[in-house]
């Protein structure tokens, strides 16, 4: 069964009598299983006159997204680094990593928070580069308990083209 015929099979009524100077509402739903641009033509025919009408329908299926461009996300970045170079708070494109550099360790998380240690944190920019609202949940791949790294806030909602 083709995609078009399954749509017709789901219609319970495909003929309407529309009294003069009145209207009948027909809802057209769009649902895509994968991203892409989709087009379909909805056709109408007046039964007695055999006059035909076309309604072009277009839809774009997208996933919400945020920018992954390091030049947008990180305030400081560089393309490469020397082998023994110590880098402080920069994203390095060749390693695809953000480098905090050497930091004091051995103190409790509460101590760091109370000291307001700016050297132990970095603000990154999250840009919603999609045309829809996004809800972003942050987590680390190998630090699910947040024992080393901490995220603040752990999530955010962004309007289209908004960055925070």
């Amino acid at each position: 069964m083709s995609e078009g015929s399954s749509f017709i099979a789901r219609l319970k009524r495909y003929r309407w009598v529309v009294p003069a100077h009145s209207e009948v509402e027909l809802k057209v739903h769009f649902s895509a299983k994968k991203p892409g641009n989709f087009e379909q033509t909805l056709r109408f025919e007046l039964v007695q006159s055999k006059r035909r009408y076309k309604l072009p329908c277009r839809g774009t299926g997208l996933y919400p997204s945020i920018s992954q461009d390091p030049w947008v996300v990180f305030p400081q970045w560089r393309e490469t680094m020397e082998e023994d170079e110590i880098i402080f708070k920069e994203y390095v494109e060749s390693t695809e990593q953000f480098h905090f550099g050497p930091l004091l360790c051995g103190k409790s998380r509460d101590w760091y928070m109370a000291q307001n240690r700016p050297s132990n944190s970095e603000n990154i920019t999250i840009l919603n580069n999609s045309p829809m609202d996004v809800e972003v949940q942050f987590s680390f791949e190998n630090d699910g308990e947040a024992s080393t790294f901490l995220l603040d806030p752990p999530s955010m909602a962004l309007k289209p083209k908004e960055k925070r």
Side-chain angles (χ1 to χ4, degrees), residues 3-162:
E3 196 171 290
S5 63
S6 67
F7 174 73
I8 291 172
R10 285 185 285 166
L11 283 176
K12 292 186 175 154
R13 240 178 116 182
Y14 52 93
R15 246 181 212 198
W16 298 272
V17 175
V18 183
H21 305 290
S22 66
E23 63 185 46
V24 171
E25 185 177 292
L26 172 67
K27 290 183 181 178
V28 179
H29 295 268
F30 173 78
S31 176
K33 293 188 191 293
K34 60 183 180 180
N37 293 315
F38 303 89
E39 293 186 16
Q40 188 63 263
T41 302
L42 184 60
R43 299 179 186 272
F44 297 93
E45 181 179 312
L46 293 180
V47 176
Q48 292 174 341
S49 70
K50 301 290 186 194
R51 206 163 163 199
R52 295 181 181 178
Y53 299 90
K54 294 180 186 178
L55 176 63
C57 299
R58 291 186 184 148
T60 302
L62 296 172
Y63 291 116
S65 63
I66 58 172
S67 176
Q68 295 182 18
D69 183 348
W71 290 268
V72 171
V73 176
F74 299 98
Q76 300 293 322
W77 50 266
R78 60 168 65 193
E79 291 183 12
T80 62
M81 63 183 275
E82 299 298 322
E83 191 173 319
D84 293 333
E85 186 177 10
I86 296 174
I87 294 179
F88 185 69
K89 294 172 79 167
E90 283 187 280
Y91 176 84
V92 179
E93 184 178 20
S94 63
T95 65
E96 296 183 341
Q97 291 181 335
F98 177 78
H99 296 258
F100 270 103
L103 298 169
L104 181 62
C105 66
K107 303 291 183 186
S108 71
R109 176 170 282 171
D110 294 334
W111 182 85
Y112 285 113
M113 299 297 275
Q115 298 295 314
N116 190 18
R117 307 288 296 185
S119 62
N120 285 45
S121 67
E122 182 61 74
N123 291 323
I124 61 173
T125 301
I126 306 301
L127 167 66
N128 175 2
N129 60 0
S130 69
M132 61 189 71
D133 292 356
V134 297
E135 175 76 27
V136 185
Q137 302 286 331
F138 303 109
S139 65
F140 285 104
E141 228 173 90
N142 300 316
D143 192 16
E145 300 297 314
S147 58
T148 307
F149 293 97
L150 179 65
L151 296 161
D152 183 31
S155 66
M156 66 176 59
L158 299 167
K159 298 283 183 200
K161 308 302 178 204
E162 181 182 6

